[in-house]
Structure formats: C-alpha cells, structure tokens
Amino acid sequence: MNSEMLVREAMACYGLGDLAGFLSFLSPDVEWIVHSAAPLPFGGSYRGPQAVSGLFADTGKLLQVSGILWSNFLSLGEQTALYGMASHRCLTNGSQETAAFAHWYEVRDNLIVRVQQFFDTASIQRMLEGKPSLRPVAKNASSTEEAIGLL
C-alpha cells in the first residue's frame, strides 16, 4: 500500500473515533512530534503507540474533537503531507474553534514511523481562553465510507 492510502486509512479510523484502529497503523517505535509553543500543554515528542495514545488521552481531557476535514494530501514515496481543519470544543469553558493543521507522515514497511504535527496555535489558544470562535465548527463523518469520502 502506498503512503498516501495508508495515511488516509489511518485518518479515517481516527475521524471515526477508532483509536485502536488508528494505533494499528503506527510502528512500535513511531516518533510523534507536536510543534507547539507555551502556554499550550501538548507540545513535545512522543515515542511509541502507547505514548501517542497517552497524548490523545491527555488532549482529550481538555479538548473534544467535534469535526475533522482533510482537504489536501501530497505524497512523494514514503512521505505524505496532510492539510486540514479540525473543530474542537474546550471542556473547561465550552468555547469552540476550528483550527488549521498540517501533518507530515513518514511511512516504512506499511507503518507510520514518524509524524510531525503543526497546527494553528493562536486559534487553540483563543479557545482555551474562552474567546469567540472565528470559524464555523465542522461535522464528523458518521461512517467509514463517508470518512474516506471526505479524505
């Protein structure tokens, strides 16, 4: 399977809330890097599917993903870039925001071995501070077919 199709299938699992399915696409020694600056609490480097799962769990205590739209994929060999928008609700204050993100995936032997995650930190910070949303909140896919269709 080529890297783009593998990333599309992994993200479809993620979009449907299938964490186990998503994690099955990660190498045992995957490196997941979140490029984020203080005061946002989730920047850093995470190694292995368990650490990535922990990152998602910790983030899930603060933010609820209410919608994801993947709009662009660009692949070259074992590397795939992904651009999209994700809508969130802050669990501490109820504010909502839709923020742009970009991911860079490296794939080897049909597993994701490295991810670099970039996102609109200003939008997330506004949401955490309870400031009004500047973008509409998207809707999640309700089936695998719809999720893959959105990719």
Side-chain angles (χ1 to χ4, degrees), residues 41 58 72:
D58 289 346
N72 294 300

Side-chain angles (χ1 to χ4, degrees), residues 60-71:
K61 292 174 187 171
L62 184 60
L63 304 174
Q64 177 184 36
V65 177
S66 57
I68 300 173
L69 175 63
W70 301 278
S71 58

Side-chain angles (χ1 to χ4, degrees), residues 13-135:
C13 288
Y14 180 83
L16 291 170
D18 179 5
L19 182 59
F22 176 80
L23 294 174
S24 73
F25 287 92
L26 303 182
S27 166
D29 62 347
V30 66
E31 180 181 23
W32 191 286
I33 302 166
V34 180
H35 296 277
S36 174
L40 297 180
F42 22 77
S45 182
Y46 304 84
R47 178 133 346 236
Q50 191 167 16
V52 173
S53 179
L55 165 66
F56 292 166
D58 289 346
T59 303
K61 292 174 187 171
L62 184 60
L63 304 174
Q64 177 184 36
V65 177
S66 57
I68 300 173
L69 175 63
W70 301 278
S71 58
N72 294 300
F73 285 83
L74 178 62
S75 294
L76 181 61
E78 296 180 325
Q79 300 179 3
T80 295
L82 161 61
Y83 173 79
M85 303 291 286
S87 296
H88 304 88
R89 184 174 68 84
C90 180
L91 297 175
T92 60
N93 64 29
S95 65
Q96 297 183 33
E97 184 65 73
T98 298
F101 67 85
H103 294 177
W104 182 263
Y105 293 88
E106 295 178 34
V107 174
R108 284 191 203 95
D109 300 321
N110 287 319
L111 291 172
I112 297 168
V113 297
R114 189 166 195 248
V115 178
Q116 292 193 62
Q117 180 179 355
F118 305 86
F119 58 95
D120 179 354
T121 55
S123 291
I124 299 296
Q125 186 61 40
R126 274 194 309 272
M127 180 186 55
L128 294 175
E129 292 171 354
K131 295 183 178 171
S133 174
L134 302 177
R135 296 187 184 106

